[in-house]
Amino acid sequence: SLIAVLIPLLFMGDVVGRLFREFAVTLAVTIVISAVVSLTLVPMMCALLVRHRPADKRYRIDLAAERGFDRIVSGYGRALAVVLDHQALTLLVALLTLLATVALYVVIPKGFFPVQDTGAIQGISEAAQDISFGAMASRQQAMADAILQDPAVQGLSSFIGVDGTNTTLNSGRFLITLKPRGQRPSATAVIARLDDRLRRVPGITLSMQPVQNLTIDSTVGRAQYHFFLENPSGGLFAQWVPRLTGRLAQMPGFIAVTSDMNTNGRALDLVIDRPTAARFGITPATIDNALYDAFGQRIASTLYTQSNQYRVILQADTGQARSLQQALNGIYLPSASASTAATNATPTTGALGQVPLSAMVHVAVRSDPLQVEHLGQFPSVSISFDLRPGTSLDKAVAAIGDAERGIALPDSFTTAFQGSLSAFQASLSNELLLIAAAMVAVYIVLGVLYESFVHPLTILSTLPSAGVGALLALYLTGHQLDIIAVIGIILLIGIVKKNAIMMIDFALAAERTENKSPREAIFQACLLRFRPILMTTLAAVLGAVPLMLGSGSGSELRQPLGIAIVGGLLVSQVLTLFTTPVIYLAFDWVAVRLTGQGANREAGDAAPAE
């Protein structure tokens, strides 16, 4: 049955589907191996180790445990008898459990992956768009010194310039390593403390987020989540992106709202006075070569030694220039002939055939984008944001749409969710379908097993009690219904069914072989199968407790799984012990009225008496 639950996971095609498939394959292999062990090694060990011992040879703790179990079973029998006398009220409780499960699913916040504290923080620094490389390096070093002063920081690495994600020289990257978990607060608290400290570093800002073990984003943004705005006309971004980011920043659940729109860079236009250049015999190619010699890296020569070779780079000495204009004024161009230059010599040109660049080039400085990002074939701008604690991702996605409508964003803009947001939307739309597919698979397998359309429904009736327990536990502990919690609920579908399976198997056998009535059969089945039901539930709960209470590095990723399993098992254990027998009798009553099997069974019961 548990393998049947996992079958729908194998057909999911999105990014999250790959995660589910890996989980399903791993768990299926584990189930197959455990089944082989259970059918081979366990019977052999029972034959060798399990022996009947008289009461006088049993240990006191063994006898005390046996008496305790007997008292628990006796109390459960008295309570079950009362419940069977009030079947209508019990069916109402089962119906309310189903309604509560639906209501909790609607109310509980939806998320993608929980934020982990892995002991590392990644950050993207940003300075003015027209900053020089030297000034950026100085500010980056000042920020690194401020970070290292924090007592929770063990070390860091940083760099500036162009890499796989940064394409501008006014940005840099930090990877901050924190001290062990017991010697510091959480990574979120460290980030908040560093934000206060780094605000005092002038001319540069740093956006930080914890490094995650499990992520599907291909790029590192300034915040945890990001989406793109597309528009065929790139000129509209400067008007509408600041409005949208300002609107999102004002919403209560959003923090650190930024965009990668860099429109304030400095561009230098060199306008050539062609008549003057022609008079000196200087072509645009000559000007281009002179500029590359001054500001590029031209290989002038190569020096060869016995063990190595060294390249000689030709570059102008611009370190003494205080401004761009002064650096350009120091560039001289060779004229076509020295005689022509000497004939046209002026106080500004000299008599050696060298003409200053400023004599034939006019300089114009203007603002220009540092980069123009594209998503597909259209210009785009990325907007990044973080969420305040307690804000769910589904509400954030809805708030983005509200913000766009609030500022009347033109229809020419297209919002494209990428990375985590895109996968979250896909997973959110597939969650109910995935759970429904799992239930259908289980129904088919159980229907073939029992050769009945009714008894599988009785077994599946235990699932709402597990669902309400898992959702209620997540809600009370402040967790969201994320991918990890959904995995826990899918596991519950396979685990919780065993309560009803144990009862129904024995009840059907008692009806067929001992000619007992449905009520007597299910009552005896509940009492006799109470101990294995309790023991298997306790084994599963105790196995999930370390996941729920774990506090090591990255434990945030495992906690929703443990909470969902423990909460679902505890609530389902209490409810299914009483609701499953009543639902069994209710479906049996329906089957009798619809198919007339009750008369045949009564006739069969009377035959032995004759």
Side-chain angles (χ1 to χ4, degrees):
S1 298
L2 188 54
I3 294 179
V5 174
L6 302 176
I7 290 177
L9 301 178
L10 302 177
F11 298 96
M12 297 184 66
D14 54 6
V15 177
V16 180
R18 292 198 293 269
L19 173 64
F20 275 120
R21 285 197 297 273
E22 293 176 1
F23 161 74
V25 171
T26 303
L27 191 57
V29 172
T30 304
I31 294 172
V32 171
I33 294 176
S34 63
V36 173
V37 173
S38 299
L39 296 176
T40 56
L41 298 180
V42 172
M44 180 188 67
M45 295 175 64
C46 289
L48 295 176
L49 301 178
V50 178
R51 294 287 188 270
H52 175 72
R53 291 180 297 172
D56 56 346
K57 295 184 178 181
R58 298 174 64 180
Y59 296 106
R60 292 183 180 180
I61 188 173
D62 188 9
L63 297 175
E66 186 70 24
R67 289 192 296 269
F69 272 116
D70 291 340
R71 286 193 293 267
I72 295 175
V73 173
S74 177
Y76 169 64
R78 291 191 296 270
L80 181 60
V82 175
V83 168
L84 293 179
D85 292 336
H86 302 82
Q87 297 184 25
L89 183 59
T90 306
L91 291 176
L92 179 60
V93 172
L95 179 61
L96 293 177
T97 302
L98 177 61
L99 296 178
T101 303
V102 176
L104 281 173
Y105 179 82
V106 174
V107 172
I108 192 170
K110 311 297 190 303
F112 189 55
F113 286 125
V115 179
Q116 297 176 266
D117 182 357
T118 60
I121 298 174
Q122 60 186 0
I124 296 180
S125 60
E126 186 176 13
Q129 298 178 24
D130 58 351
I131 193 172
S132 65
F133 184 84
M136 180 64 189
S138 176
R139 288 176 171 82
Q140 184 90 350
Q141 184 60 47
M143 179 166 284
D145 295 338
I147 294 174
L148 291 173
Q149 294 177 4
D150 192 281
V153 175
Q154 187 174 14
L156 61 83
S157 62
S158 72
F159 61 89
I160 60 176
V162 179
D163 66 351
T165 57
N166 293 333
T167 57
T168 58
L169 294 179
N170 70 317
S171 62
R173 294 278 296 275
F174 278 94
L175 181 60
I176 305 170
T177 304
L178 303 179
K179 293 181 179 179
R181 187 68 178 269
Q183 303 177 18
R184 59 172 176 84
S186 65
T188 305
V190 174
I191 290 176
R193 190 167 63 192
L194 287 175
D195 280 335
D196 295 336
R197 181 188 301 271
L198 298 180
R199 287 193 185 100
R200 297 190 289 268
V201 180
I204 190 170
T205 60
L206 181 64
S207 302
M208 294 175 288
Q209 55 179 304
V211 175
Q212 302 296 292
N213 288 333
L214 188 59
T215 180
I216 63 173
D217 288 313
S218 58
T219 59
V220 178
R222 291 176 174 83
Q224 186 176 1
Y225 305 104
H226 57 273
F227 65 95
F228 291 85
L229 283 183
E230 297 178 80
N231 197 300
S233 177
L236 295 177
F237 288 123
Q239 177 183 358
W240 290 100
V241 170
R243 295 185 184 181
L244 181 59
T245 55
R247 187 63 175 263
L248 291 176
Q250 294 175 357
M251 291 186 169
F254 291 82
I255 56 176
V257 181
T258 59
S259 70
D260 64 351
M261 186 178 63
N262 296 314
T263 59
N264 296 325
R266 297 182 65 186
L268 187 68
D269 291 336
L270 300 180
V271 182
I272 302 174
D273 186 353
R274 292 184 179 270
T276 303
R279 189 167 65 249
F280 287 102
I282 296 175
T283 63
T286 303
I287 298 175
D288 182 71
N289 289 332
L291 291 174
Y292 190 83
D293 289 339
F295 302 106
Q297 290 188 353
R298 187 182 300 279
I299 300 177
S301 178
T302 303
L303 301 179
Y304 296 95
T305 64
Q306 294 180 351
S307 61
N308 208 338
Q309 61 183 14
Y310 303 91
R311 292 176 177 176
V312 179
I313 305 299
L314 177 64
Q315 187 175 12
D317 183 11
T318 58
Q320 303 299 326
R322 297 182 179 179
S323 64
L324 181 60
Q325 185 66 46
Q326 186 177 358
L328 292 175
N329 289 339
I331 300 176
Y332 285 80
L333 305 173
S335 63
S337 64
S339 60
T340 303
T343 304
N344 298 280
T346 64
T348 59
T349 63
L352 298 178
Q354 297 294 323
V355 181
L357 180 66
S358 58
M360 63 195 67
V361 172
H362 303 288
V363 180
V365 180
R366 59 181 173 85
S367 297
D368 202 57
L370 293 179
Q371 61 181 356
V372 179
E373 295 287 346
H374 286 77
L375 185 63
Q377 297 180 351
F378 298 104
S380 66
V381 170
S382 173
I383 298 178
S384 304
F385 63 91
D386 285 328
L387 297 178
R388 297 185 184 277
T391 303
S392 60
L393 198 55
D394 59 332
K395 294 181 179 179
V397 172
I400 292 174
D402 295 338
E404 293 177 353
R405 290 186 292 269
I407 64 173
L409 190 69
D411 295 336
S412 59
F413 282 92
T414 302
T415 302
F417 294 101
Q418 298 291 320
S420 298
L421 287 179
S422 177
F424 167 74
Q425 287 187 314
S427 65
L428 190 63
S429 61
N430 291 335
E431 281 180 1
L432 290 178
L433 181 61
L434 177 64
I435 295 175
M439 295 176 64
V440 171
V442 172
Y443 179 83
I444 294 174
V445 172
L446 294 177
V448 174
L449 176 65
Y450 290 106
E451 298 180 354
S452 171
F453 294 102
V454 176
H455 296 311
L457 295 178
T458 305
I459 296 173
L460 291 177
S461 67
T462 60
L463 301 184
S465 61
V468 71
L471 295 176
L472 186 61
L474 292 170
Y475 185 80
L476 294 178
T477 55
H479 287 77
Q480 300 177 354
L481 181 61
D482 49 32
I483 299 298
I484 306 302
V486 171
I487 291 177
I489 293 177
I490 293 175
L491 284 175
L492 284 176
I493 295 177
I495 297 175
V496 172
K497 297 189 290 56
K498 52 87 181 172
N499 292 3
I501 290 175
M502 290 182 181
M503 298 177 186
I504 292 175
D505 276 341
F506 192 91
L508 292 177
E511 288 187 49
R512 293 168 183 169
T513 60
E514 301 179 16
N515 293 324
K516 291 188 176 182
S517 65
R519 174 163 177 163
E520 292 176 345
I522 194 65
F523 183 82
Q524 183 180 7
C526 291
L527 296 182
L528 293 179
R529 309 310 295 168
F530 177 78
R531 178 177 292 187
I533 289 175
L534 181 61
M535 296 305 296
T536 53
T537 300
L538 288 177
V541 169
L542 294 177
V545 166
L547 299 176
M548 181 180 65
L549 301 180
S551 58
S553 177
S555 61
E556 295 83 1
L557 187 65
R558 302 181 292 270
Q559 285 179 352
L561 179 63
I563 292 173
I565 293 177
V566 172
L569 288 177
L570 291 180
V571 175
S572 65
Q573 178 70 22
V574 175
L575 292 179
T576 57
L577 288 175
F578 298 100
T579 58
T580 299
V582 174
I583 295 175
Y584 175 83
L585 295 177
F587 278 122
D588 182 81
W589 181 85
V590 172
V592 168
R593 296 300 182 271
L594 294 180
T595 63
Q597 293 179 355
N600 296 333
R601 181 167 56 197
E602 291 175 359
D605 294 343
E610 295 177 359

